[in-house]
Each structure stands twice: as structure tokens, then as C-alpha cells.
Amino acid sequence: MAVLPSLATVADLATRLNRTFTPQQEAQVQALLDDASSTVRAFTRQDLTRATTTDTFTMRRADPVLHQCAGIVTLPQRPVVDIDTVTIDGSTSSDWWQDGQDLLLRSWSWGQPPAVHRAPQVTVTYTHGWDPIPREITAIVLQAVNRVLVNPSQVRSETVGGESVTYLIPTTGEALGVLLSRTEEKVLKKYRGPGAASLQVRSR
């Protein structure tokens, strides 16, 4: 599996902080950007970066009246930009259409026993994700990295000049690395996807 790029760059952080990093600092910042990007991707269950993926899914039966098709596959990565090819049980099909995240297959024989007990496997090559990455996602990654830079010892609170500052690190003292705040998680919720779990056939 290809390594996904970070959701923000060293140059983005340098611009935001109005500072220049040494080569050693750049390496540290890049590692933190990678960590923060992984944290955001784990929370959203999305790659986010524009990419083309080939994956295989289990077709689920559709309501012929509601959907007017034989089967449905829900593509997990958002947004779906384009669907290139669709193959059902090894046979290429063009008898489908897209409705948001759903791939609707107009017709397909579910077979006779024992094949009827096996749901068709649908292999889809599709393009998904954002290009460019939404600015609010980039901002969250930069904020998360900056918190680590200004608080490398991961102190929860300190008093400077009579002013108390509280950080995101739990009172247990456990070092958790790059974290997301509750506000950032709230912003990211709209980007969350269903993940890549297998779709089960519904009984009729």
C-alpha cells in the first residue's frame, strides 16, 4: 500500500509561524506532520488525499422498488470523484450508475443453488478524495503539530507571570504524542466515512 502524503507541509507551518526551520528542525516537523496526518486519517477513517483505488466489495441486495436496481455497493472513501471500472465476479460491467457514495448495479443474476448463497463480489476502481486538501483539515494538522512544538515536554499546566496555561495532555501524565482537541474532532466529523468494512447481504 502506498504511503499517503502528510496533509500539510513544512512550508505551511513555517508560513503560519513566520519562522525558518533548520534542516534538523525540518526533519522533526515533517515527522510530526506525518503523525498528525495519521491521527486525522484514523479519526475520519478516510485517506482524504486524492487517489485512485481498486478494491473489492460484497454486493448487497437492493429494494427493487426503492432503488430500481439489483444490488448496491457503498464505496467507503469520500468524496467519490469518478468510477473507472466495475467488475462483478470477474465480468466487466457497464450496467451501473453512481448515486453519491453508492454504486447501483442495474441487473445481475444472483444464481441458483449453491451460487445463490454467495453474494457477488464487485471490484471497483474509483478516484476519491480532495485536491487540494480542505483548508480546515490542513489547519487542524498544523495546530496539532504546533501544540507539540510549544509543549515538547508534554506538561499539562504551568504558570508563567501569574498566568496559568492548561494543555491537552491527560492528568495521568501519559505521553500520547499528537492529539486532536474536541473542537477539532467536531470539525472533522463531517469528513468521517464508514470505513472499509465488508458489506453483508441482506435477507429478503
Side-chain angles (χ1 to χ4, degrees):
M1 182 177 179
V3 176
L4 296 171
S6 59
L7 299 170
T9 67
V10 174
D12 291 332
L13 187 61
T15 298
R16 174 168 288 232
L17 300 181
N18 192 28
R19 62 175 290 187
T20 301
F21 296 113
T22 66
Q24 183 178 4
Q25 290 171 333
E26 285 186 0
Q28 179 194 16
V29 169
Q30 185 59 63
L32 290 171
L33 288 169
D34 292 341
D35 289 346
S37 299
S38 295
T39 299
V40 169
R41 287 184 169 115
F43 179 80
T44 60
R45 301 191 294 270
Q46 295 290 296
D47 291 347
L48 299 173
T49 305
R50 177 71 56 83
T52 298
T53 299
T54 298
D55 213 341
T56 299
F57 309 92
T58 299
M59 184 194 300
R60 70 181 191 270
R61 291 185 186 274
D63 183 324
V65 176
L66 178 62
H67 300 106
Q68 299 183 347
C69 64
I72 300 177
V73 163
T74 298
L75 302 174
Q77 293 296 322
R78 304 172 54 199
V80 175
V81 178
D82 188 35
I83 297 176
D84 300 314
T85 60
V86 176
T87 302
I88 308 174
D89 284 344
S91 299
T92 301
S93 174
S94 59
D95 197 15
W96 54 267
W97 72 96
Q98 178 191 347
D99 183 10
Q101 295 298 116
D102 290 333
L103 173 67
L104 306 178
L105 299 126
R106 191 180 307 279
S107 61
W108 186 258
S109 172
W110 288 71
Q112 301 298 318
V116 72
H117 302 298
R118 283 196 313 272
Q121 298 299 295
V122 183
T123 299
V124 184
T125 297
Y126 68 112
T127 302
H128 52 81
W130 281 268
D131 184 18
I133 296 295
R135 291 189 64 178
E136 59 187 350
I137 293 179
T138 298
I140 286 171
V141 169
L142 295 175
Q143 288 165 186
V145 169
N146 190 48
R147 283 196 295 269
V148 177
L149 292 177
V150 300
N151 184 28
S153 60
Q154 299 193 329
V155 177
R156 176 174 172 79
S157 63
E158 62 181 3
T159 301
V160 179
E163 182 179 353
S164 179
V165 180
T166 300
Y167 298 99
L168 294 173
I169 307 306
T171 55
T172 59
E174 180 183 3
L176 297 178
V178 180
L179 299 171
L180 297 174
S181 70
R182 291 178 181 174
T183 300
E184 289 163 349
E185 289 182 347
K186 185 176 180 180
V187 172
L188 290 172
K189 279 184 178 178
K190 66 182 178 183
Y191 295 100
R192 296 190 85 174
S198 298
L199 300 170
Q200 301 299 318
V201 180
R202 295 186 300 176
S203 59
R204 299 187 69 181

